[in-house]
């Protein structure tokens, strides 16, 4: 349902990536936990690598973050990939996995292999517990032509040898050891294409015997989203009250900010309902559509508000300059592309061939949007610094300049925390506590919103306010010192 960034790498998958050597790896730095896996994606995501290096494909796929384990129906068509990741799920003891495959077919991928014989025992599905990744890596180093299906550390689910006469098979497994498990399809004969329909169902069993389709580390997330929805709903009502109280000084930007709060609240309640239905039934029952719809407008409005405040629109001037309009013309279409990528990522899953490509698009566009919003803020700060030297209003310019510099620092901190710090944090976090990342991200977002809305709320202006000579002189001296501020 939710789009998750490719840089959100679970801790054990970091170990998988960097535990090939016998010595323990150092703690994951920003490069190791974010940049290096992205480089691996660019290198290994090619047909040539897919036909010869099974283990590298395993490494590539296993860095993907945990997905919500809705009941999935996936169609694989003429696919020769040696490894396909279907799902990751945090199981409790007694959890269940059900898988059904049907309409299974295979055919030579190349004309030169038409005479080869297809071995049904070398193609099938298996589970890998997180705890066993290092052992599989070690085993692969000393096994010529290593095939994961023959590993001693996997949990076999089914092979094509188990197919019935109508080319279908159903399997159900009970989990004995609590851990996060990855469901893979392995094809140790990449000279053959495989076509099939796959239905997967993963769930834990609660105290009443009911099914819980959310992974262990995501169980509290629906309540977290609903709690923040109530906070933002109250926030929105307070904002309406402030705007009504100060209606004479309400600017257009304040209406846009109110719209941002509304769509943020609607997105959160949609996410909560989505996950609540997934938890109980394995299906979002249409709430994913509402989540993407409100999330689209929230994303567009968030970056629009940051850009408009950064330009000083409605606060410093009633118009936008041409270069500021160009920033908006970049950010808004980029947000459209980012939300399209989010829908594709959330609705397809890692088994799709283009899943990594869409993750790369999502990450790239998000970085462009984050970088673009800094320019208007920097321009406004420089304009205020220049104006303070000529217009003789040192005290008022100092107040505005200080506010915009604070805004710049807060925007940088917020984007850094939500885009980089949390991605590195989840790389070291146990799968049982992934919900803390959601709580931290929403908490940081709320703090950012409170700062912005408090400092840029509509306030009554007094054009007759007298500023004494001593205060003006002190402000002038402070402005000279402010020129040393480094962006």
């Amino acid at each position: 349902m939710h789009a998750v960034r490719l840089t959100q790498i679970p801790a054990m998958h970091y170990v998988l990536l960097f535990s090939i050597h016998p010595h323990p790896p150092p703690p994951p730095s920003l490069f190791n936990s974010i940049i290096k896996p992205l480089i691996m994606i660019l290198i290994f995501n090619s047909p040539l690598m897919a036909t010869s290096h099974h283990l590298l494909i395993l490494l590539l796929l296993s860095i993907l973050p945990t997905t919500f384990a809705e009941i999935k129906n996936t169609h694989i068509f003429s696919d020769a990939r040696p490894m396909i990741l279907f799902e990751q799920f945090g199981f409790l003891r007694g959890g269940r996995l059900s898988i059904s495959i049907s309409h299974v077919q295979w055919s030579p991928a190349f004309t030169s292999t038409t005479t080869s014989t297809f071995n049904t025992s070398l193609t099938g599905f298996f589970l890998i517990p997180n705890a066993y990744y290092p052992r599989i890596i070690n085993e692969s180093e000393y096994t010529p032509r290593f095939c994961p299906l023959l590993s001693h550390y996997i949990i076999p689910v089914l092979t094509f040898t188990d197919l019935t006469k109508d080319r279908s098979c159903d399997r159900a497994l009970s989990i004995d050891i609590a851990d996060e498990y990855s469901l893979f399809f392995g094809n140790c004969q990449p000279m053959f294409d495989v076509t099939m329909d796959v239905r997967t169902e993963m769930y834990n069993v609660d105290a009443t015997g009911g099914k819980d389709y959310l992974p262990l580390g995501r169980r509290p997330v629906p309540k977290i989203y609903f709690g923040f929805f109530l906070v933002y709903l109250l926030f929105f009502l307070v904002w309406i009250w402030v705007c009504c109280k100060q209606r004479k000084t309400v600017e257009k930007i304040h209406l846009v900010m109110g719209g941002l709060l509304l769509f943020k609240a609607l997105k959160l309640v949609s996410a909560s309902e989505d996950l609540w239905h997934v938890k109980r039934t394995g299906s979002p029952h249409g709430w994913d559509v509402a989540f993407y719809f409100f999330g689209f407008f929230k994303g567009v409005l968030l970056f629009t508000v940051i850009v408009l405040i950064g330009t000083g629109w409605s606060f410093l001037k009633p118009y936008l300059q041409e270069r500021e309009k160009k920033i908006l013309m970049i950010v808004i279409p980029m947000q459209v592309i980012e939300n399209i990528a989010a829908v594709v990522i959330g609705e397809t899953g890692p088994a799709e061939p283009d899943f990594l490509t869409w993750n790369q698009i999502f990450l790239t566009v998000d970085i462009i949007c984050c970088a673009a919003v800094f320019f208007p803020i920097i321009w406004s700060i420089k304009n205020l610094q220049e104006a303070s030297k000529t217009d003789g209003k040192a005290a008022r310019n100092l107040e505005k300049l200080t506010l915009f510099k604070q805004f710049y620092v807060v925007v940088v901190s917020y984007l850094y925390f939500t885009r980089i710090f949390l991605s590195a944090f989840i790389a070291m976090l146990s799968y049982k506590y992934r919900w803390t990342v959601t709580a931290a991200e929403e908490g940081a977002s709320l703090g950012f919103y409170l700062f912005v809305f408090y400092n840029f709320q509509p306030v009554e202006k007094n054009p007759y306010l007298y500023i004494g000579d001593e205060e003006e002189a002190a402000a002038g001296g402070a402005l000279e010192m402010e020129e040393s501020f480094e962006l």
Side-chain angles (χ1 to χ4, degrees):
M1 183 276 296
H2 297 284
V4 282
R5 293 180 181 83
L6 187 59
T7 53
Q8 294 179 346
I9 308 165
M12 183 49 64
H13 296 156
Y14 163 77
V15 176
L16 171 64
L17 282 168
F18 304 109
S19 63
I20 294 177
H21 300 288
H23 302 290
S29 64
L30 177 62
F31 175 81
N32 284 338
S33 62
I34 297 177
I35 301 175
K36 190 169 182 178
L38 294 179
I39 295 174
M40 292 183 64
I41 289 171
L42 297 177
I43 296 175
F44 299 133
N45 191 23
S46 65
L48 179 61
M49 300 300 293
T51 59
S52 58
H53 298 282
H54 296 185
L55 182 57
L56 292 178
I57 298 298
L58 174 61
L59 295 175
L60 171 62
L61 292 174
S62 64
I63 69 172
L64 296 172
T66 303
T67 57
F68 295 107
E70 306 168 19
I71 298 175
K72 294 282 188 179
N73 292 284
T74 307
H75 179 66
I76 302 297
F77 178 75
S78 296
D79 202 322
R81 285 179 290 170
M83 300 292 298
I84 301 177
L85 173 65
F86 274 81
E87 294 283 352
Q88 291 173 297
F89 194 84
F91 281 106
L92 290 170
R93 182 177 181 181
R96 301 281 294 178
L97 160 68
S98 297
I99 180 172
S100 300
I101 61 174
S102 58
H103 306 102
V104 179
Q105 299 178 5
W106 55 83
S107 59
F110 311 100
T111 55
S112 59
T113 60
T114 53
T115 58
S116 301
T117 302
F118 184 79
N119 188 340
T120 55
S121 65
L122 297 179
T123 306
F125 289 83
F126 58 93
L127 286 173
I128 300 181
N130 269 1
Y132 286 178
Y133 272 113
R135 300 182 184 182
I136 294 176
I137 292 295
N138 185 66
E139 181 184 24
S140 67
E141 290 182 329
Y142 301 100
T143 305
R145 296 183 179 181
F146 175 72
C147 176
L149 283 163
L150 303 179
S151 171
H152 300 292
Y153 303 109
I154 67 164
I155 301 176
V157 178
L158 64 87
T159 66
F160 282 7
T161 305
D162 303 317
L163 294 175
T164 61
K165 293 181 179 180
D166 60 353
R167 297 288 182 93
S168 64
C169 183
D170 299 331
R171 281 290 185 273
L173 292 179
S174 179
I175 303 301
D176 296 326
I177 301 176
D179 198 351
E180 184 176 51
Y181 291 76
S182 299
L183 176 64
F184 282 97
F185 171 75
N187 179 10
C188 296
Q189 304 168 95
M191 69 288 295
F192 286 92
D193 287 329
V194 175
T195 298
M196 60 182 169
D197 293 322
V198 182
R199 183 182 186 276
T200 56
E201 184 177 353
M202 294 183 178
Y203 57 89
N204 288 308
V205 180
D206 59 27
T208 63
K211 298 179 180 179
D212 185 345
Y213 288 94
L214 286 185
L216 178 60
R218 307 295 298 182
R219 279 184 165 185
V221 173
K223 294 181 180 179
I224 292 174
Y225 280 141
F226 190 76
F228 277 101
F229 158 70
L230 295 177
V231 173
Y232 277 98
L233 181 60
L234 178 61
F235 197 166
F236 176 67
L237 295 176
V238 171
W239 185 252
I240 292 177
W241 176 77
V242 171
C243 290
C244 291
K245 184 179 179 182
Q246 303 289 347
R247 65 172 63 91
K248 294 182 180 180
T249 57
V250 170
E251 305 286 354
K252 294 179 181 178
I253 184 64
H254 297 126
L255 303 179
V256 179
M257 294 166 70
L260 171 60
L261 282 180
L262 176 62
F263 281 109
K264 174 67 174 178
L266 292 174
K267 177 189 175 183
L268 286 171
V269 72
S270 299
S272 177
E273 288 295 321
D274 182 324
L275 294 180
W276 186 82
H277 281 90
V278 168
K279 177 182 176 69
R280 294 173 61 90
T281 67
S283 172
H285 292 276
W287 281 100
D288 53 341
V289 178
F291 171 80
Y292 293 126
F293 178 80
F294 295 129
F296 167 75
F297 285 102
K298 173 262 172 185
V300 171
L301 285 175
L302 174 61
F303 281 93
T304 301
V305 165
I306 294 176
V307 170
L308 290 178
I309 291 179
T311 62
W313 182 67
S314 291
F315 295 109
L316 303 180
K317 57 191 178 184
Y319 60 89
L320 292 176
Q321 296 179 352
E322 191 63 30
R323 64 181 181 180
E324 295 164 348
K325 293 179 181 178
K326 290 181 179 179
I327 293 294
L328 282 176
M329 292 174 63
I330 292 173
V331 170
I332 293 177
M334 284 293 179
Q335 279 296 299
V336 174
I337 296 174
E338 181 176 343
N339 280 274
I340 292 174
V343 173
V344 174
I345 294 169
E347 294 302 312
T348 57
E352 294 296 327
D354 297 328
F355 183 74
L356 291 177
T357 302
W358 281 106
N359 267 284
Q360 294 169 16
I361 293 173
F362 181 91
L363 179 62
T364 302
V365 172
D366 192 56
I367 291 174
I368 293 174
C369 289
C370 292
V373 300
F374 294 133
F375 290 101
I377 308 175
I378 295 172
W379 294 336
S380 292
I381 291 175
K382 290 184 176 179
N383 289 339
L384 286 169
Q385 288 174 333
E386 294 174 0
S388 65
K389 301 175 183 178
T390 59
D391 63 5
K393 300 177 181 178
R396 291 177 183 174
N397 284 328
L398 176 61
E399 182 181 357
K400 295 175 182 177
L401 184 59
T402 302
L403 178 58
F404 272 82
K405 287 182 177 180
Q406 291 175 348
F407 180 60
Y408 174 83
V409 172
V410 169
V411 170
V412 171
S413 302
Y414 170 67
L415 294 179
Y416 178 87
F417 181 83
T418 56
R419 267 68 178 177
I420 298 177
F421 176 80
L422 288 182
S423 297
F425 177 63
I426 199 174
M428 300 176 285
L429 193 65
S430 168
Y431 75 97
K432 298 178 182 179
Y433 306 107
R434 298 261 169 84
W435 60 270
T436 59
V437 175
T438 301
E441 183 174 8
E442 293 302 332
S445 297
L446 179 60
F448 174 74
Y449 280 52
L450 288 171
F451 172 86
V452 172
F453 280 70
Y454 176 78
N455 285 281
F456 295 95
Q457 62 180 306
V459 293
E460 185 176 355
K461 303 174 184 177
N462 187 354
Y464 303 104
L465 179 64
Y466 173 75
I467 301 176
D469 292 338
E470 294 183 1
E471 183 180 351
E472 189 72 18
L479 280 171
E480 292 181 2
M481 299 179 62
E482 287 284 347
E483 292 181 1
S484 61
F485 178 78
E486 295 292 338
L487 296 174

